[in-house]
């Protein structure tokens, strides 16, 4: 019994030593770029990293979001406006990050984005409904990652992709699950390829942080809007009873 207890204690000590050896030291001067900082998740993460001593560059979709974040953060935190669906906006942000890092490279890229995604049967949707989410939550995140890779390789940094749990399931039509599945695949491939350069790639799969994400009123409103624009043939194939149920 005593030997088992000693072995358990020794195992814990070894675990703590290994865990602590992987902790990042000397946080000051290390730059981390975080997307989608208008949202509760992105804003909270940017504030937490700022308090830890990182040099945070927070991308916000609106100037208002940037002002709110700066008002509750240290002077070292920088904000920049970013539209992930616009390549020109992405290019401007990459230039800003390059200037801010001043030749040091980028220690971390934290990608998080949710494009507008109507929830409905697939044949109720048009291609633009898919573009509205994929252009932001998949292609936009991929594009900015590709353009920041030189800075990440220079600092032997890391990419952390925050992916909603919808990336693990597909139960409704639209681009939301597609974007999450796509980011899972992109991350897994990038992780293998970047090992050669000392760049780490991680996925953090999270759940819903606010009730508003699954607000039934919003879903019902979207369904009604999509139902009303359907052709008579598609509406007849489902029937009024389908929509009511």
């Amino acid at each position: 019994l005593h030997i088992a207890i000693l072995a358990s204690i020794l195992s814990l000590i070894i675990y703590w030593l290994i865990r602590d050896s992987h902790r990042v030291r000397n946080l000051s001067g290390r730059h981390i770029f975080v997307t989608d900082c208008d949202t509760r998740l992105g804003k909270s993460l940017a504030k937490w990293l700022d308090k830890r001593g990182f040099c945070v560059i927070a991308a916000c979709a609106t100037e208002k979001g940037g002002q709110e974040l700066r008002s509750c953060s240290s002077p070292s935190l920088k904000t920049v406006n970013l539209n992930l669906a616009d390549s020109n906006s992405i290019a401007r942000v990459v230039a800003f990050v390059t200037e801010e890092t001043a030749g040091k490279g980028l220690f971390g890229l934290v990608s998080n984005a949710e494009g507008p995604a109507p929830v409905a049967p697939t044949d109720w949707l048009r291609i633009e409904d898919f573009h509205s989410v994929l252009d932001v939550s998949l292609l936009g995140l991929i594009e900015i990652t590709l353009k920041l890779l030189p800075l990440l390789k220079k600092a032997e940094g890391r990419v952390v992709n925050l992916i909603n749990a919808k990336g693990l399931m597909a139960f409704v039509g639209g681009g939301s699950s597609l974007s999450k599945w796509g980011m899972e695949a992109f991350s897994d491939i990038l992780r293998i390829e970047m090992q050669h350069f000392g760049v780490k790639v991680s996925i953090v799969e999270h759940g819903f942080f606010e009730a508003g994400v699954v607000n039934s009123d919003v879903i019902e409103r979207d369904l009604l809007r999509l139902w009303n624009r359907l052709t008579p043939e598609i509406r007849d194939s489902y029937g009024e009873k389908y929509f009511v149920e």
Side-chain angles (χ1 to χ4, degrees), residues 45-64:
L45 179 59
K47 288 166 60 179
W48 184 82
L49 291 169
D50 179 51
K51 289 179 181 177
R52 295 274 298 185
F54 287 104
C55 297
V56 178
I57 305 172
C60 298
T62 64
E63 181 57 37
K64 179 183 177 183

Side-chain angles (χ1 to χ4, degrees), residues 1-11:
L1 179 62
H2 293 298
I3 295 176
I5 293 173
L6 287 173
S8 298
I9 294 173
L10 182 61
S11 298

